[in-house]
Amino acid sequence: MILSIESSCDDSSIAITDIATKKLIFHKKISQELEHAVYGGVVPELASRLHAEALPRILEECKPYFRQLKAIAVTNAPGLAVTLMEGITMAKALSVTLDLPLIAVNHLKGHIYSLFVDKEAVFPQTVLLVSGGHTQVVEVKSLNEMKTVASTMDDSFGESFDKVAKMMGLAYPGGPVIEKLAKEGDPKRYGFTIPLQQKKDFAFSYSGIKNAVRLAVEEGSETDYADIAASFQEVATEHLIRKIKKYLVDHPPKNFAIVGGASANLYLRNKVEAMIAPYGASLYLAELKYCSDNAAMIGRVAVEMYLEKAFTSLHQLQATPRAPL
Ligand code: KG4
Ligand code: ZN
């Protein structure tokens, strides 16, 4: 079995995955959302202190499996430096005391493998990764053949939901709150401009939408918030769909997946389903509990890396806050 640790942002999570069957044996996650909610976003220093409490608490429950472990895996990139360090330090300590090899897992690969927790992987996949830190389209052929074909030039999709919620004085994380509020609103009332429409580049941008929403919030009152949320969600999603639709004409998908925390958004899921229907492509989604950050997805990647003997030495294992796939 492999013990995997995730602490790249505000979720402390540990999983144990069976190597032969790729099945998840144990998984626990302690979220810090409530603690960060008062600040309207993640405070890195607070997050690392909370990881230092939560990770050892979860680890206690893993003790019965220690004798069956063959490797220790940990998210090393990308993420917040100070929170990544919490997981990495624990992984190094376990590696030394239990005399086990280390596996350094890229968090974005983790999100892609969230599709395959408890399952065999299916490739190729055209993947839309939408989270708090990332908005990108990735062509995935295998574990080691992943190519990012588009990404955001500024804010991410999930982050823009968080910021809009904050403008309205609503809870963090903003994604689920805005999605719920949007259900009661008119998505056509505000007609915010869809970004980068004249540009041929396959890229995303959310800063313009954010500023337009800020103006609407400032000029409106609380009674307008549902319409603003619905109009925002509509334009934020339509932006993704229009850009991806153009790309798919020359790159027809066989399988299309949405991963990352914001893949929980049903409005987005429905639009993507309609977008890929003409291609007869299958839509892949992670189970809801594996959409947001978790160690189960990290453990699933680690199994593949273990089979390839892709180990990292103690001194090589570092936190890399900014890293591509
Ligand atoms: O993957 P994740 O847990 O963390 C990162 O790796 O960033 O994603 C968290 C992000 C937050 O920005 C949150 O607001 C967003 O995912 N999110 C959503 C929804 N649920 C979570 N965004 C839009 N609609 C949702 N239903
Ligand atoms: Zn994530």
Side-chain angles (χ1 to χ4, degrees):
M1 294 178 189
I2 296 177
L3 182 142
S4 56
I5 307 168
E6 158 64 38
S7 68
S8 67
C9 191
D10 61 343
D11 294 296
S12 317
S13 182
I14 301 182
I16 292 176
T17 313
D18 186 64
I19 297 167
T21 61
K22 301 180 180 178
K23 295 273 182 204
L24 189 62
I25 305 295
F26 170 92
H27 176 231
K28 189 155 184 180
K29 155 167 150 169
I30 298 178
S31 262
Q32 309 174 353
E33 284 171 1
L34 285 179
E35 285 87 347
H36 295 290
V38 278
Y39 304 102
V42 177
V43 181
E45 199 270 342
L46 172 62
S48 73
R49 266 193 289 139
L50 293 168
H51 283 305
E53 282 170 30
L55 287 174
R57 227 179 320 140
I58 306 176
L59 190 67
E60 286 282 345
E61 295 182 42
C62 302
K63 277 187 177 164
Y65 302 101
F66 275 12
R67 286 156 62 99
Q68 287 156 277
L69 296 180
K70 295 279 181 230
I72 305 293
V74 63
T75 305
N76 74 317
L80 300 168
V82 289
T83 65
L84 287 167
M85 280 312 297
E86 293 297 330
I88 289 174
T89 305
M90 175 176 269
K92 287 185 177 184
L94 286 168
S95 158
V96 171
T97 50
L98 301 174
D99 194 21
L100 293 171
L102 283 165
I103 300 174
V105 179
N106 181 299
H107 182 78
L108 305 179
K109 276 194 181 175
H111 274 303
I112 290 169
Y113 271 80
S114 68
L115 297 165
F116 311 128
V117 172
D118 276 332
K119 298 184 191 83
E120 273 304 328
V122 177
F123 297 123
Q125 294 278 351
T126 304
V127 179
L128 170 62
L129 165 57
V130 271
S131 70
H134 292 86
T135 302
Q136 53 194 60
V137 176
V138 188
E139 289 289 4
V140 182
K141 287 192 193 149
S142 70
L143 174 71
N144 299 315
E145 293 170 289
M146 300 193 181
K147 190 174 160 212
T148 301
V149 292
S151 31
T152 180
M153 292 158 36
D154 39 61
D155 291 351
S156 76
F157 181 79
E159 185 182 10
S160 69
F161 278 71
D162 296 334
K163 288 184 174 168
V164 166
K166 194 175 178 184
M167 288 173 206
M168 296 182 186
L170 302 173
Y172 171 83
V177 185
I178 294 292
E179 183 180 10
K180 188 163 171 240
L181 184 60
K183 286 200 183 102
E184 298 155 27
D186 172 7
K188 299 289 172 213
R189 175 163 157 210
Y190 281 87
F192 299 126
T193 310
I194 299 172
L196 308 179
Q197 279 198 95
Q198 311 308 329
K199 292 226 185 249
K200 282 217 173 87
D201 318 17
F202 187 25
F204 309 110
S205 168
Y206 282 93
S207 59
I209 304 179
K210 180 182 67 186
N211 291 333
V213 170
R214 190 184 303 283
L215 272 181
V217 171
E218 280 169 11
E219 284 167 9
S221 69
E222 257 180 59
T223 52
D224 301 310
Y225 285 3
D227 289 345
I228 296 175
S231 304
F232 157 72
Q233 181 175 252
E234 155 91 10
V235 69
T237 309
E238 194 57 28
H239 173 39
L240 285 177
I241 297 292
R242 288 205 188 179
K243 282 288 176 190
I244 299 171
K245 217 174 191 172
K246 273 194 194 151
Y247 168 78
L248 294 185
V249 174
D250 294 326
H251 306 85
K254 188 159 180 276
N255 304 301
F256 194 98
I258 325 174
V259 300
S263 68
N265 187 294
L266 285 182
Y267 192 80
L268 173 66
R269 286 183 174 199
N270 291 336
K271 290 241 176 173
V272 167
E273 219 161 4
M275 177 182 75
I276 62 166
Y279 298 97
S282 310
L283 180 64
Y284 281 73
L285 297 161
E287 265 184 71
L288 220 47
K289 60 184 174 215
Y290 305 130
C291 286
S292 57
D293 293 349
N294 66 84
M297 67 188 195
I298 303 303
R300 185 61 188 81
V301 176
V303 166
E304 302 298 331
M305 292 179 73
Y306 179 88
L307 296 173
E308 290 187 357
K309 297 192 168 45
F311 302 125
T312 304
S313 66
L314 266 181
H315 70 275
Q316 271 176 333
L317 180 55
Q318 304 285 350
T320 312
R322 291 178 177 276
L325 257 168

